[in-house]
Amino acid sequence: MEQLKLKQDGLDIIDEIIHIYSNKGFESIPEEKFSLFKWAGVYQQRPKKDGYFMLRIRIPTGILTSGQARVIAELAQEYGRGLIDITTRQAVQYHWLRVENLPDIFRRLNEVGLYTYEACGDCPRTIIGNPLAGIDPNELVDTSSIVKELDEKFRLNKEFSNLPRKYKISISASVYNPAHAQINDLAFTPAVKNINGEEVVGFHVWVGGGLSNRPHLARQLDLFVRPEQVVDVAIGVTKVFRDYGYRQKRHRARLKFLVADWGTEKFLEVLTEVIGPYPSRGEDRTIGWNAGYFTGVHPQKQKGFSYVGLNVPVGRTSSEEFFALADLADRYGSGTLRTVNTQNIIISDVPDEKVEELLKEPLLKRLTPFPKTFEGYAVSCTGNEFCNLALTETKGLMKEVVDYLDAHVQLDSPVRIHINGCPNSCGQQQIADIGLMGGKSKTARGMVESYTISVGGHLLGEGRFNTQLKGRVVKDHVPFVLKELILFYKENRNEQERFTQFVERVGIEVFQTELDRILGQVVSS
């Protein structure tokens, strides 16, 4: 891969797609070129031989206009069989595309200020952030313009289009860490510092986070950054990664491995050579973690206005629903929609007197602001329906699981359940209360889909990844096993004790014993 990137910059594939492969068709694409398609935001869809593609649209910090949403809906309707997925990085994903469709998709998205370019590949990917940027009562500063400026600096910039590996950035000034700072390669979180007798609002900087099969929590540098300095610091960190990151083995090429080997002091020392000296850390202003959930009706910082957070079950929606969302955003709000890293969506800027009328709209029956307990806290990767890396189906199973749990368990506090079809962690299972990871198990019926279960993940404070329990659960038994584990929590928790707190109090060994008991019950029945 490194040799291929030296022969051709990944961004050059965009012109080849537009002027060569879209005219000559799928069969004309050399095998080695498919890996470069990622720089155009395009992956081969499963099965590869059928010639269909998956495509991601960058939506920096998740903010969309109604006009952009309509173009997204139109293109999905024309080329993608009406299917739209919202991802865990606030992007929108299409399926069922042909290479012949791509130039028109690129052109029409670009005309409304949307891009697929570098939504994938060894480059700075979609910059995620606070979906409430500009309207959040709990943010220290509006970060939307910072994200926009940095996105424009990186996009189609060949100075940064050949990084050692994928590179993910998070920028948020919300005190509730909605952008999951600790699992990004580079993250900025809210802080203040007294400088010359004046309290200055700014950011702290985290580096080296990432998931996949070797997850690392990001570490905070001894650095305080003013809002107007974020872009310069982000470019500096990216240069350090570009110039010093590992390129010998792709499975060890993420920034997290460099940070783990160097430590934060050496990393900051090298970074300072690039960006110059900055003040030391100030005072963190992150006070909690909302896990990226915004469902319901909530007041904005603009008096008299509210935002309405809608649940999109397992992140899957359609062109028809996207057209309707755009209409609702125009009719009740300011024409703005906001995608969320929990695969949900927000209608913002709704005058308080219009909220009740909005809640009566037919679309809000399925995309409800008031989902059931388990339905409202479920995240799923794409799964083997479309993804070539996935070993198992995910979205259908997650829908089955939450429907079963909502029918059989009455609970007054949420339990966040995430599912991945492989170890690559697009479903971010490591930060979930309960994480499922797909694989295969040998049974009397042959090889069947099965899942490991991990418990106790969160991003409070420095964060903690969940712990995998021993044993695999075959797909058919997953709903029942999760029900029993959650009932074990419900029956033994302290008052107002969250699931992660319960796991920390009773310990993994107790959970393992309970899982063994449940699996024994399943086998005997």
Side-chain angles (χ1 to χ4, degrees):
M1 188 65 190
E2 288 300 315
Q3 291 174 352
L4 180 61
K5 291 190 292 181
L6 287 174
K7 291 178 185 176
Q8 177 179 359
D9 190 286
L11 293 176
D12 292 340
I13 199 68
I14 297 168
D15 278 342
E16 293 184 9
I17 291 171
I18 293 171
H19 300 295
I20 301 174
Y21 306 127
S22 66
N23 294 316
K24 293 186 176 181
F26 179 76
E27 298 300 328
S28 71
I29 306 170
E31 185 64 32
E32 70 271 13
K33 296 286 186 176
F34 285 118
S35 59
L36 296 178
F37 269 52
K38 292 183 286 185
W39 273 256
V42 180
Y43 283 100
Q44 282 183 278
Q45 180 175 302
R46 184 191 193 108
K48 292 181 178 181
K49 63 181 177 61
D50 287 356
Y52 289 105
F53 291 92
M54 178 186 83
L55 175 145
R56 289 189 191 134
I57 303 170
R58 298 166 67 110
I59 307 175
T61 210
I63 300 176
L64 276 174
T65 67
S66 57
Q68 291 172 328
R70 287 191 181 90
V71 171
I72 289 173
E74 289 168 1
L75 292 170
Q77 186 177 63
E78 290 179 39
Y79 299 123
R81 303 188 184 181
L83 187 65
I84 295 174
D85 282 344
I86 300 172
T87 78
T88 53
R89 291 194 63 80
Q90 298 179 285
V92 160
Q93 197 161 279
Y94 290 151
H95 299 282
W96 299 112
L97 307 182
R98 307 291 300 192
V99 69
E100 296 84 356
N101 309 146
L102 297 179
D104 190 45
I105 293 171
F106 295 157
R107 177 184 61 80
R108 287 162 66 181
L109 289 173
N110 296 357
E111 285 174 353
V112 293
L114 290 174
Y115 302 89
T116 68
Y117 310 144
E118 297 177 284
C120 320
D122 298 348
C123 50
R125 297 193 176 186
T126 304
I127 302 170
I128 70 165
N130 181 9
L132 302 182
I135 66 170
D136 190 352
N138 300 304
E139 67 179 357
L140 271 64
V141 62
D142 178 359
T143 50
S144 56
S145 62
I146 299 172
V147 172
K148 184 175 186 292
E149 182 183 356
L150 187 58
D151 179 69
E152 290 172 351
K153 286 278 188 184
F154 280 140
R155 193 179 63 245
L156 298 177
N157 185 344
K158 288 191 175 181
E159 187 178 359
F160 304 110
S161 58
N162 182 4
L163 301 180
R165 200 66 170 84
K166 66 178 77 170
Y167 184 61
K168 300 179 178 181
I169 301 173
S170 154
I171 302 173
S172 169
S174 167
V175 299
Y176 292 111
N177 188 22
H180 301 352
Q182 302 95 313
I183 62 171
N184 283 270
D185 295 278
L186 169 64
F188 295 84
T189 56
V192 295
K193 184 176 177 67
N194 189 292
I195 300 177
N196 298 324
E198 176 190 359
E199 185 177 82
V200 178
V201 173
F203 297 89
H204 284 160
V205 182
W206 304 67
V207 293
L211 297 179
S212 195
N213 61 348
R214 297 180 70 180
H216 289 228
L217 290 164
R219 305 183 191 180
Q220 199 175 102
L221 299 177
D222 189 13
L223 197 66
F224 178 80
V225 178
R226 295 173 185 260
E228 63 271 19
Q229 298 170 322
V230 168
V231 171
D232 289 339
V233 172
I235 288 173
V237 173
T238 311
K239 287 179 177 178
V240 173
F241 179 43
R242 179 195 63 194
D243 298 342
Y244 296 94
Y246 304 142
R247 294 178 182 265
Q248 288 81 11
K249 299 176 181 177
R250 282 187 70 76
H251 69 275
R252 271 188 55 84
R254 289 287 296 274
L255 180 61
K256 61 189 178 184
F257 296 105
L258 182 67
V259 173
D261 288 349
W262 277 10
T264 54
E265 289 186 11
K266 179 178 178 180
F267 192 94
L268 181 57
E269 180 183 330
V270 176
L271 176 62
T272 301
E273 293 173 4
V274 178
I275 65 175
Y278 275 70
S280 60
R281 265 193 305 254
E283 179 187 343
D284 274 315
R285 281 301 171 90
T286 302
I287 62 173
W289 182 51
N290 67 4
Y293 286 98
F294 299 92
T295 49
V297 179
H298 307 275
Q300 297 181 186
K301 67 181 178 184
Q302 293 83 5
K303 188 175 181 180
F305 291 86
S306 295
Y307 67 87
V308 181
L310 308 181
N311 176 246
V312 181
V314 297
R316 177 148 291 174
T317 179
S318 66
S319 54
E320 181 181 0
E321 289 184 338
F322 244 64
F323 278 125
L325 285 166
D327 290 344
L328 294 181
D330 284 339
R331 193 180 315 148
Y332 294 100
S334 62
T336 302
L337 295 168
R338 298 162 183 261
T339 55
V340 185
N341 56 12
T342 47
Q343 304 177 303
N344 295 317
I345 202 158
I346 294 167
I347 299 174
S348 61
D349 311 308
V350 181
D352 290 344
E353 62 271 17
K354 288 188 175 182
V355 167
E356 287 304 316
E357 187 180 354
L358 171 59
L359 295 179
K360 295 175 183 176
E361 288 286 344
L363 181 64
L364 272 61
K365 285 185 170 61
R366 193 183 93 85
L367 306 185
T368 175
F370 311 109
K372 296 174 183 176
T373 302
F374 295 98
E375 176 188 54
Y377 291 86
V379 170
S380 172
C381 76
T382 298
N384 66 9
E385 179 184 9
F386 298 117
C387 179
N388 284 292
L389 299 175
L391 300 171
T392 63
E393 190 275 333
T394 55
K395 287 189 182 290
L397 174 60
M398 181 58 86
K399 183 69 168 60
E400 179 185 344
V401 165
V402 297
D403 286 349
Y404 180 85
L405 293 176
D406 278 321
H408 291 85
V409 181
Q410 298 297 314
L411 198 62
D412 57 4
S413 60
V415 174
R416 298 171 297 106
I417 306 175
H418 291 213
I419 187 170
N420 281 311
C422 78
N424 285 284
S425 304
C426 294
Q428 301 177 343
Q429 64 96 359
Q430 293 95 334
I431 65 172
D433 289 322
I434 299 176
L436 302 172
M437 188 175 73
K440 301 285 186 179
S441 291
K442 188 175 182 179
T443 71
R445 294 178 290 155
M447 298 300 289
V448 298
E449 293 187 4
S450 63
Y451 292 83
T452 59
I453 295 177
S454 302
V455 295
H458 64 79
L459 293 180
L460 294 161
E462 293 182 353
R464 189 180 103 170
F465 293 135
N466 52 28
T467 301
Q468 184 174 306
L469 303 176
K470 296 175 184 177
R472 284 188 169 275
V473 182
V474 298
K475 179 179 179 179
D476 292 347
H477 297 153
V478 168
F480 173 80
V481 170
L482 292 189
K483 181 198 75 170
E484 293 297 304
L485 280 178
I486 293 167
L487 287 175
F488 171 68
Y489 153 66
K490 178 181 178 179
E491 292 162 4
N492 295 279
R493 63 179 175 169
N494 293 332
E495 187 176 357
Q496 296 185 326
E497 188 173 37
R498 297 190 304 270
F499 188 87
T500 51
Q501 293 173 319
F502 177 71
V503 174
E504 290 177 6
R505 178 172 64 83
V506 304
I508 293 300
E509 295 79 6
V510 171
F511 256 90
Q512 183 66 62
T513 300
E514 183 62 17
L515 177 61
D516 292 342
R517 182 194 67 78
I518 297 166
L519 291 177
Q521 183 179 347
V522 168
V523 171
S524 64
S525 63

